Amino acid sequence: KEMAPTGKLRVALNMRNQLLVTGKTSAGEPDGLAPDMARAFAEKLGVPVEFVPYDTAAKLADDAAQDKWDVGMIGADPDRAAHINFTAPYCQIEATYAVPTTSGAQKCAEVDKKSVRIATCAGAAYTLWLERNIKNATVEKVEGHDETYEHFKENGFE
């Protein structure tokens, strides 16, 4: 009852994270690591699973306080902890910077400079980390993954 107070396990999924949600089953349900874990968790609890899909991790996190889901498959971050209790991670996703081959930055430590602009997807865990840790470079948040990449390409980022 504590984990599934409605009689079903409502699991929030960030459908844009292709590392965790890789597609759909023949029945049209989400498929991949996160949905498979959710199904196994619901089975262990003896309740059906109901997926609550989100287009962005930010919206998923924002809805945590609204009782719209019971379990969320989302990256742990201190900025999200106001309304979310995080478990130990079920996977780790490593990230780095994408730079043009002509860039002088070849190591992560070389990115945090006054002359550097970093394009990042608004609301992503990576962005939250950048906002806390980047002290000199300019962090430019863009709505949407594809839009972030286009912003990077079209605006001469180094």
Side-chain angles (χ1 to χ4, degrees):
K1 288 261 185 208
E2 185 178 343
M3 291 302 301
T6 63
K8 58 190 169 195
L9 186 66
R10 301 171 301 163
V11 178
L13 297 173
N14 175 9
M15 302 302 288
R16 294 286 306 219
N17 189 331
Q18 295 177 352
L19 297 171
L20 302 179
V21 182
T22 55
K24 295 196 177 210
T25 66
S26 58
E29 291 288 316
D31 200 18
L33 175 65
D36 288 349
M37 287 188 56
R39 286 184 192 93
F41 190 32
E43 183 178 327
K44 189 157 188 98
L45 294 173
V47 297
V49 66
E50 176 186 306
F51 294 111
V52 183
Y54 285 89
D55 291 331
T56 69
K59 181 64 176 150
L60 187 160
D62 289 346
D63 277 358
Q66 307 304 316
D67 192 33
K68 293 185 178 182
W69 49 266
D70 305 310
V71 175
M73 303 296 198
I74 187 171
D77 187 273
D79 288 351
R80 295 175 174 166
H83 298 289
I84 301 173
N85 293 322
F86 291 101
T87 65
Y90 60 91
C91 73
Q92 183 172 334
I93 300 171
E94 299 209 9
T96 190
Y97 299 99
V99 298
T101 56
T102 56
S103 173
Q106 297 300 309
K107 297 179 182 172
C108 290
E110 297 170 345
V111 174
D112 194 11
K113 296 179 180 173
K114 292 269 186 216
S115 62
V116 174
R117 295 178 302 143
I118 301 169
T120 185
C121 188
Y126 313 110
T127 303
L128 297 173
W129 184 91
L130 289 167
E131 290 175 327
R132 278 193 314 279
N133 291 280
I134 294 298
K135 305 299 181 213
N136 299 301
T138 302
V139 176
E140 295 185 15
K141 295 185 284 187
V142 181
E143 292 293 332
H145 294 283
D146 295 337
E147 294 81 359
T148 301
Y149 181 63
E150 289 304 315
H151 183 75
F152 172 81
K153 288 191 321 185
E154 293 172 3
N155 290 285
F157 281 75
E158 48 181 77

